[in-house]
Amino acid sequence: MRPQEILSLLTLFCVFRASVSVLDEDDDYDLMYVNLDNEIEGPVLGTEETVSCDCQREHTEWDKLFIMLENSQMKENMMLQAMDEMLKVDLQTLKAELSQLTTNLAGTFTTTVEKVTSHIVSRVEQALVRNSDQAEEAKRLQESEQGKVLEHVLLLSHNVSSRLGQLENAWLRKSEAEAQETAFQQDKFSPTRGDNLILNSLWKELQQTRAELKASQKWAAQHLLPAGCETAILFPMRSKKIFGSVHPTAGMTLHSFTACIWIKVTEALDKTIVFSYGTKFNPYEIQLYLSRESVVLVVGGNQHKLAAKNVVVPGKWIHLCGAWSSENGSASLWVKGELAATALDIANAHTIPDGGILQVGQEKNGCCIGGGFDEALAFSGKLTGFNMWDRVLSAKEIAAQSGEDACSIRGNIIGWGVTEVLPYGGAQYIS
């Protein structure tokens, strides 16, 4: 039913109620009039005909009015019930339509979001691939340029060395000839002023060339890695979070070993760890650390150590090797391929147990709750060519470790470039 029809019915009902109230007032007036007449004229005695019931009499206006009122109330109730039912049906229909609309919108929105998300993910992946390719290309170009610069510097160094050799030989020959001539013809054949000027000019050029050669060699030594190694690990600062984790290729149950490594330390304190192997029960099974200008090898605990003094120079590459055997407790330290210190009865008859932690640049010394790192022990600088064998190498083999292309020689426990060495906390591989 439309709203206009409902309004019309309500208006009709109000008019009807108003007419009923008017009729009620007229009825009260008639009763009052009748009552007054009765008081004046007295009661009228009824007859038998009057008393008899007339069941067939017609309805009075009041009867018709009450009948109309009852019918109108019934119609009103029926109309209200019909309106309620219609409203319920309309509300259910509207609810179903809204639910269908919501479902359709949700499906459309979900599809749209999935398409947009897929598109965004695709674009991001493409951008990441492009950035990765660009970074790799830039890295290759940088490595290529660095290689070309280093080759050029080495070529210049070689040429300068050749020129220096030629100038020095010419200078020596001329000096010897002048000395011989001066010995027996000093008065007759003394050098002229022009010859002295030429010699002074040659000497200045020789000194300048020598200085340039030293500068070139110093630059190359700072930027080139030793022993033909292609990569090194950079420890940019001392930190309790910076270290390298080493995963040995074979088991660490050892009765003897040899460990070698190239290092360039920025600064060595009282104890600066190069590498350390320890277990839960003994964190000092194997250690190689620096103490100012000295290098120290520890086996089986701090009470078993061997030191070589005045061998460490900060800022310069140095090759270190430590060897040990449990047979007679023999231990030795080697610097640049030469024996620097040796001793007996170092952890005699001891066995290095397996299942420990091997690290470079830090020691797991248990200083903190749960075991942790001490910043004062951290290594800062560069290291490369870390190798370990399960035997004692000969003097010739150790000397070969410090020579050219030594990085091509790898240990059977740890082999540099083969064994997994993971940098953490800011340590990173460089080339």
Side-chain angles (χ1 to χ4, degrees), residues 136-177:
E136 291 180 358
E137 183 66 22
K139 184 178 180 181
R140 287 195 295 269
L141 290 175
Q142 183 179 6
E143 291 177 353
S144 177
E145 292 295 331
Q146 289 179 351
K148 291 180 181 178
V149 170
L150 292 175
E151 290 178 359
H152 182 66
V153 169
L154 292 176
L155 181 61
L156 289 177
S157 299
H158 181 72
N159 294 336
V160 170
S161 298
S162 300
R163 289 178 58 191
L164 281 175
Q166 294 174 1
L167 288 173
E168 287 177 350
N169 292 332
W171 178 265
L172 290 174
R173 288 196 298 269
K174 190 171 183 62
S175 298
E176 290 176 357

Side-chain angles (χ1 to χ4, degrees), residues 251-356:
M252 288 292 292
T253 303
L254 303 174
H255 300 281
S256 60
F257 68 85
T258 302
C260 297
I261 191 170
W262 281 93
I263 65 167
K264 185 168 78 170
V265 65
T266 303
E267 182 185 22
L269 301 181
D270 292 335
K271 187 176 183 181
T272 298
I273 301 296
V274 178
F275 72 87
S276 176
Y277 174 76
T279 64
K280 180 179 180 181
F281 302 101
N282 183 9
Y284 310 106
E285 286 292 345
I286 305 175
Q287 277 193 349
L288 184 68
Y289 67 85
L290 309 178
S291 180
R292 302 298 176 179
E293 291 82 18
S294 302
V295 58
V296 181
L297 174 65
V298 176
V299 180
N302 281 326
Q303 68 275 19
H304 307 296
K305 62 178 64 176
L306 174 66
K309 299 181 179 180
N310 300 322
V311 295
V312 178
V313 180
K316 290 187 178 181
W317 284 104
I318 183 174
H319 187 255
L320 302 174
C321 283
W324 169 82
S325 174
S326 65
E327 184 176 352
N328 52 7
S330 62
S332 58
L333 278 171
W334 302 72
V335 180
K336 299 179 181 179
E338 297 181 355
L339 183 63
T342 183
L344 297 175
D345 296 328
I346 301 293
N348 190 12
H350 180 66
T351 300
I352 306 295
D354 194 12

